[in-house]
Amino acid sequence: MSLSLIDDSGTRRPPAGPHAPRVLIYSHDTFGLGHIRRCRAIANSLVASYPHISVIIVSGSSVISSFQFGDGVDYVRIPGIEKQSDGRYFPHHLNLDLGDTIRLRTEIIKQVVLSFDPDVVIVDKEPLGLRGELAPSLEILRRRGARIVLGLRDVLDEPCKLNEEWRLSGAVDALAHVYDDIFVYGLESVYNPLLGLPNQHLFADKVRYTGYLKRAVPSPMPPNRHPRITKGPFILVTPGGGGDGAGVIDWVISAYEADPTIELPALIVFGPFMSREKRKEFTDRIGRLPKLESIGFEPRLELLMNRAHCVVAMGGYNTFCEILSFDKPALIVPRVKPRREQAIRAERADSLRLIDVLHDPMQNGDGPRDPMQMAKALHALPKRLPPSQAYLPDLLEGLPAISRALADELSSPVRRRALTQNAMAAG
């Protein structure tokens, strides 16, 4: 796997004219970093391929301002909604009830759609948006003739749960009647995220497997002051956003406490959503172990991933893409609640010899975590072959595949849809 791809999202380009094509990307962002990081990667790739276009990301992420976007990309932040570990939703900051917050988000999204008037819309994961908040905007977009694309990660959930959830929300009908395309950011040989949905004949011809989204080393690279252990070989431990990552971090720390002979030191990145209490508890324990160091949040995690010798992670989609992109031996400790998405991905990847998987017994109700089980896995991890040794064709072709698929709408220097509408109005 080549590591030559460089993220040039900081590069300035000449401004485009007001009539260049426009893309809107919707990301509901209720938990963690996954959705906004995926949308950012797609947006930056599109403006790299089509420098004249404009992209707006509509997102509920509370940390979206921490990320670097390419010239031609901007964002509108809608009021945040937080998803609890039990699956319930609450407003993140506002002192409103959930219904009022959803109505406010719905109106903001609709106004962005009306004002920006995109040629292409990419909806991340939720066909009708959170609690149906996107439905009014989708009606407007259909009337205006925009190309509407649903973008799905490789795994959504267990088929029975996805079927129930999407049937009740009306999402299955939207696949058939609202969307022009369904992009799956993975490979069919790894997993079919729509497995088990009814009436597949109504939307099967819209599905396109793009491959995974390759991540890049950020450039230009400012001076980063990372902990001393990153100067040599080390294990990167990342729970993604960190909101539900305390278990894997506790297990890794306990392994170093129980077995000081683990060869490689480890850098633990807590993530922005880990509670202060847990972070303090872990920091105190790490301070007593010479082979462990920690940092809070690194929005340019690709720098550390590229530098690390190997990785321990929970197995969210974006972390999995980074592991593949930077070709790192990896141990995945997936969560199983509120969705089995990570466990399904990890088990499939393990069967394809891309990574190793270790299940957390406490998540499965099988008893306490054994520090020596994790220590054994950490001893073996540096000797594991990288993912590239399990060759899968087109594994990381997602970003160029998306750009090619949207070429008809984005390659022209002017907005073809706007020209068509003007011609029809004149006639």
Side-chain angles (χ1 to χ4, degrees):
M1 293 183 185
S2 171
L3 299 183
S4 61
L5 181 62
I6 298 295
D7 181 354
D8 62 352
S9 57
T11 303
R12 302 296 300 176
R13 300 182 178 90
H19 304 297
R22 302 173 185 179
V23 179
L24 185 143
I25 301 178
Y26 163 85
S27 172
H28 67 291
D29 283 290
T30 59
F31 192 74
L33 299 173
H35 300 288
I36 187 57
R37 293 179 66 207
R38 181 163 56 245
C39 292
R40 170 190 176 271
I42 293 169
N44 285 347
S45 174
L46 288 177
V47 295
S49 297
Y50 307 104
H52 59 293
I53 71 170
S54 292
V55 181
I56 284 183
I57 300 175
V58 176
S59 169
S61 173
S62 61
V63 296
I64 189 170
S65 62
S66 300
F67 293 95
Q68 186 178 27
F69 296 94
D71 191 48
V73 182
D74 211 333
Y75 61 87
V76 173
R77 184 176 183 270
I78 54 180
I81 289 180
E82 187 174 7
K83 185 178 183 180
Q84 305 296 310
S85 58
D86 60 5
R88 293 184 299 164
Y89 296 99
F90 295 96
H92 194 190
H93 295 294
L94 294 177
N95 294 319
L96 299 175
D97 64 24
L98 181 61
D100 284 342
T101 306
I102 292 290
R103 281 189 287 274
L104 178 58
R105 285 166 56 108
T106 299
E107 287 302 312
I108 294 173
I109 295 167
K110 187 164 68 173
Q111 289 304 313
V112 173
V113 165
L114 288 169
S115 299
F116 188 55
D117 190 24
D119 302 273
V120 175
V121 177
I122 302 175
V123 175
D124 187 66
K125 181 183 173 288
E126 295 288 345
L128 295 174
L130 179 64
R131 300 292 178 97
E133 68 184 4
L134 199 58
S137 293
L138 289 172
E139 291 180 13
I140 295 169
L141 291 161
R142 289 293 292 177
R143 290 198 302 268
R144 292 189 171 194
R147 182 173 177 180
I148 306 177
V149 178
L150 178 64
L152 301 176
R153 65 189 182 220
D154 58 343
V155 183
L156 296 172
D157 203 347
E158 295 174 285
C160 60
K161 289 188 176 180
L162 181 68
N163 186 1
E164 180 183 8
E165 181 181 328
W166 279 21
R167 179 177 54 83
L168 293 175
S169 70
V172 176
D173 289 337
L175 298 186
H177 304 298
V178 175
Y179 283 92
D180 300 300
D181 306 273
I182 301 170
F183 293 170
V184 178
Y185 308 137
L187 294 180
E188 190 171 13
S189 60
V190 177
Y191 197 75
N192 174 4
L194 301 178
L195 192 69
L197 289 182
N199 300 319
Q200 299 232 356
H201 65 283
L202 296 177
F203 56 82
D205 61 341
K206 302 178 182 181
V207 177
R208 179 197 302 254
Y209 287 84
T210 66
Y212 289 89
L213 308 182
K214 187 172 185 177
R215 303 309 163 86
V217 181
S219 179
M221 298 181 188
N224 283 72
R225 294 179 177 174
H226 290 136
R228 58 173 177 78
I229 62 172
T230 63
K231 304 300 181 184
F234 70 98
I235 301 171
L236 175 66
V237 183
T238 170
D244 56 356
V248 65
I249 290 179
D250 174 72
W251 205 0
V252 169
I253 296 174
S254 70
Y256 280 88
E257 289 171 333
D259 183 0
T261 70
I262 297 173
E263 179 184 357
L264 291 186
L267 174 64
I268 297 174
V269 182
F270 293 131
F273 303 121
M274 181 163 289
S275 70
R276 292 181 180 179
E277 294 77 16
K278 277 295 179 185
R279 188 178 299 193
K280 183 180 185 309
E281 173 195 332
F282 291 148
T283 301
D284 290 344
R285 291 168 64 189
I286 289 169
R288 296 190 287 269
L289 298 167
K291 289 187 177 179
L292 291 184
E293 293 195 57
S294 66
I295 59 175
F297 173 41
E298 174 53 84
R300 296 156 69 88
L301 190 68
E302 299 92 343
L303 290 170
L304 289 172
M305 183 77 74
N306 187 45
R307 189 180 296 176
H309 184 277
C310 45
V311 178
V312 177
M314 289 180 60
Y317 177 84
N318 290 281
T319 303
F320 183 60
C321 286
E322 289 166 350
I323 288 168
L324 298 180
S325 299
F326 300 116
D327 205 23
K328 300 299 177 179
L331 175 68
I332 301 297
V333 186
R335 70 163 185 248
V336 297
K337 298 177 182 178
R339 299 183 183 275
R340 291 201 72 252
E341 167 226 337
Q342 291 190 4
I344 293 169
R345 178 181 298 111
E347 288 161 5
R348 285 294 299 139
D350 181 64
S351 70
L352 294 167
R353 300 182 179 180
L354 293 168
I355 53 93
D356 289 330
V357 64
L358 181 62
H359 287 285
D360 183 344
M362 292 186 67
Q363 286 213 21
N364 296 323
D366 295 332
R369 304 179 188 100
D370 180 358
M372 294 309 296
Q373 185 184 20
M374 176 60 76
K376 181 180 178 181
L378 295 176
H379 278 291
L381 182 57
K383 304 177 183 67
R384 194 198 187 283
L385 293 174
S388 60
Q389 298 301 305
Y391 175 71
L392 290 179
D394 301 321
L395 182 63
L396 288 166
E397 287 299 306
L399 293 174
I402 294 168
S403 293
R404 289 193 299 269
L406 300 177
D408 285 348
E409 285 75 19
L410 303 183
S411 58
S412 174
V414 294
R415 305 181 64 193
R416 293 184 179 182
R417 183 168 64 84
L419 288 177
T420 302
Q421 290 175 338
N422 291 339
M424 291 175 63

